[in-house]
Structure formats: C-alpha cells, structure tokens
Amino acid sequence: MDVFLQQSVNALSLGGIYALLALGLAVVFSIVRLINFAHGEIMTIAGYAIWLALLSSVPVAAAIFLGITVAMLASVAMERVAFRAMRGASVTSLLITSFAVSEIIKVLFQNGISARPVPIVLPAWMSGSLNMGFLTISVMSVISILVVAFSLVALSFILTRTTLGVAMRAAAEDFPVVRLVGIKANHVVALAFAISGVLAGVAAVLWVAQRGSVDPLMGAAPVLKAFIATVLGGLGSLSGAVLGGFVVGVVEVFLQGYLPESVAPYREAISLSIIIGLLVLRPDGLWPAPNVNRS
C-alpha cells in the first residue's frame, strides 16, 4: 500500500505536467485547428530563460516569473511570425510549419548555447522530502500537484469569467460566427497562444525543478506525450486534454514501478499499447469535445 500511494503521488505529479502541456495544445487546436509541435520548444525557451536568470543571480521567484513570462511572449511571437500568415491553410501546411519552427529553435539552442544538458542550481529545499510516517513524498511532487491544480482553476476562471475567455470558448465552437459578431479574430488567437505559452512555462518550471537541468531537446519528449494525451482525451476538448495527461502519467509511472526488470525495456511499447486499446474503445477520446463530429 505504501508503494502504491508513493507511485500515485508520482503519477499525479508527472501527469500534471503532461496535462498542462496537453491543455496548451488543446487551447490552440480548438480555435485554429493547429497541432503545434513547436509547443515543446516554448517549454525549452522557458527553461533556458530560468537558467540565464539564475546564472545572473536573480532570485528564484523572480527567475520563475521571468521564465513563464518569456514563454508567454515567445508563444505570442511564434503565432505572429510563423502561424498568422498560415491561418486558413490546410492542416498539413500548419503541421509542417510547426515542425519547421521546432527544428529551427532546437538548432539555435544547440549551436548558440550548448547541445548538452546545462545544470540548473535550485534551492536545497526544493530537492527535499516530506516524511508523513508511512509515506515519503518529495517536495517537488507536492508543489507540482498544487501548481497544476491552481493553473487549472485559474484557466477555468479565465474561460468562464472574462470577456476574452468567453470569446475563446465561442470561437472553439464556431470561429466564423464569432468573427461575424465583431470579435477580433487576432485578439482571440493571440490570447489562446498566450495562455498556451503560460501553461508551457509552468510545465517547464516543474520539469526543470525535478530534473535540475535544461537542454535543447528538453521539450521534445514531454510534448509528444502531451500530444498523445490530447488525442486520448479527445482533440479540441480542454477537459479531455487534462484527463488524457493524467492517464498518460498514471500509465507511465505505474508501468515503471511495477513491471519486472525483464520487461522494463518494453515499457514505452506497453504504455502505447494500453493507450491504443483505450482509443479502440473510445475512438473520439475519453472526453471528446461537443463539436467533434462537426463538418
């Protein structure tokens, strides 16, 4: 039971990071039908911003805020420079553009800073543990779960209680009609990318804090898992993206914790097989968007 509880906390912590990234992907996809594989590079940009800030002796709290802010600005800039001109293009063209942006940013970091992981020195308390008698939980796992919960509540507030948030939800349902009633499309899309960037920035903070380093490929694996989570939850569904992120995290952590050593090398294949099985049972996702079948 102790091991099960420990693994459950780890699963929530990792699944929360995937959920944040998946939610960022879903927010953008629900409005402009773009699967932004450069989203992982936004996470990498935030990681390097935190590294540079700490290297310049900026306080940790300020460095974290700076990293999230830089991620948000980078995401908005990415939309303005790379994706705005492509608005209305085919899904294939948008996908190729996102891959191109992703590769450009990776090459810039690999040649401009370092192709190898760069260590980040964080306060000692962030690597500590909380002893709860029968259970020992790392401080970062607790922080991750709390931050993810706060982020989801904050996003829910923005989407339901603010004018632009309501406009985003309406755009996700029927973007052409939203434009006809006088809402500026550029504002709605820019807000979607800004929110996506903030979520990637928060995920970067948690990822870097747990691993203690940043590298040009830092966002590649997490964004792939986030994409899987988005598809599993239901493309375009914000709630489904969150659910999918946690499911992917749970599957990954529990397989890592309970598989025999002889089977461990096949963990990723088994994990993907379980997810494929879920999609066979629920082809539209675990929590599909209401307009998933629209033409």
Side-chain angles (χ1 to χ4, degrees):
M1 180 59 70
D2 294 356
V3 174
F4 177 80
L5 291 175
Q6 184 74 59
Q7 295 293 354
S8 297
V9 172
N10 295 337
L12 287 175
S13 177
L14 180 62
I17 295 176
Y18 292 157
L20 289 176
L21 289 171
L23 192 55
L25 290 174
V27 165
V28 171
F29 180 83
S30 66
I31 295 175
V32 294
R33 290 300 182 258
L34 164 66
I35 300 172
N36 185 15
F37 278 101
H39 189 62
E41 276 52 62
I42 298 298
M43 182 178 171
T44 305
I45 289 171
Y48 275 109
I50 295 170
W51 170 68
L52 288 171
L54 293 176
L55 204 63
S56 304
S57 301
V58 174
V60 174
I64 290 173
F65 178 79
L66 178 65
I68 295 173
T69 303
V70 167
M72 180 187 70
L73 295 176
S75 186
V76 173
M78 187 183 291
E79 185 276 328
R80 183 67 183 86
V81 174
F83 297 123
R84 184 169 296 186
M86 300 292 294
R87 198 176 298 166
S90 67
V91 174
T92 304
S93 298
L94 290 171
L95 194 61
I96 292 172
T97 302
S98 73
F99 275 123
V101 173
S102 172
E103 289 303 314
I104 289 170
I105 295 174
K106 284 176 188 172
V107 170
L108 289 175
F109 278 128
Q110 285 173 335
N111 293 283
I113 300 180
S114 173
R116 296 182 178 181
V118 178
I120 292 182
V121 180
L122 295 169
W125 64 266
M126 295 184 74
S127 59
S129 300
L130 300 176
N131 194 337
M132 303 177 65
F134 61 92
L135 185 64
T136 301
I137 305 175
S138 69
V139 171
M140 275 315 305
S141 293
V142 176
I143 292 176
S144 294
I145 294 170
L146 293 177
V147 167
V148 170
F150 175 79
S151 299
L152 297 179
V153 170
L155 179 60
S156 176
F157 177 83
I158 291 171
L159 292 177
T160 57
R161 302 291 182 177
T162 66
T163 303
L164 277 177
V166 173
M168 280 181 58
R169 291 169 60 208
E173 293 291 330
D174 200 323
F175 197 29
V177 170
V178 167
R179 299 180 70 175
L180 287 175
V181 299
I183 296 175
K184 293 184 178 180
N186 287 342
H187 290 177
V188 174
V189 175
L191 178 62
F193 271 87
I195 291 175
S196 176
V198 169
L199 293 171
V202 174
V205 172
L206 300 177
W207 192 264
V208 166
Q210 290 183 10
R211 283 152 184 78
S213 66
V214 59
D215 64 88
L217 301 178
M218 183 183 84
V223 82
L224 180 59
K225 297 290 178 64
F227 171 66
I228 293 171
T230 306
V231 175
L232 178 62
L235 273 175
S237 170
L238 303 185
S239 303
V242 175
L243 176 60
F246 281 111
V247 170
V248 171
V250 167
V251 170
E252 187 173 321
V253 168
F254 276 93
L255 285 179
Q256 185 175 1
Y258 288 102
L259 278 180
E261 277 191 35
S262 58
V263 188
Y266 305 100
R267 185 176 68 248
E268 291 292 332
I270 296 172
S271 174
L272 289 175
S273 298
I274 292 173
I275 291 169
I276 290 171
L278 291 173
L279 286 172
V280 169
L281 296 174
R282 300 277 297 181
D284 291 331
L286 301 177
W287 197 334
N291 53 3
V292 70
N293 293 318
R294 76 181 182 192
S295 58

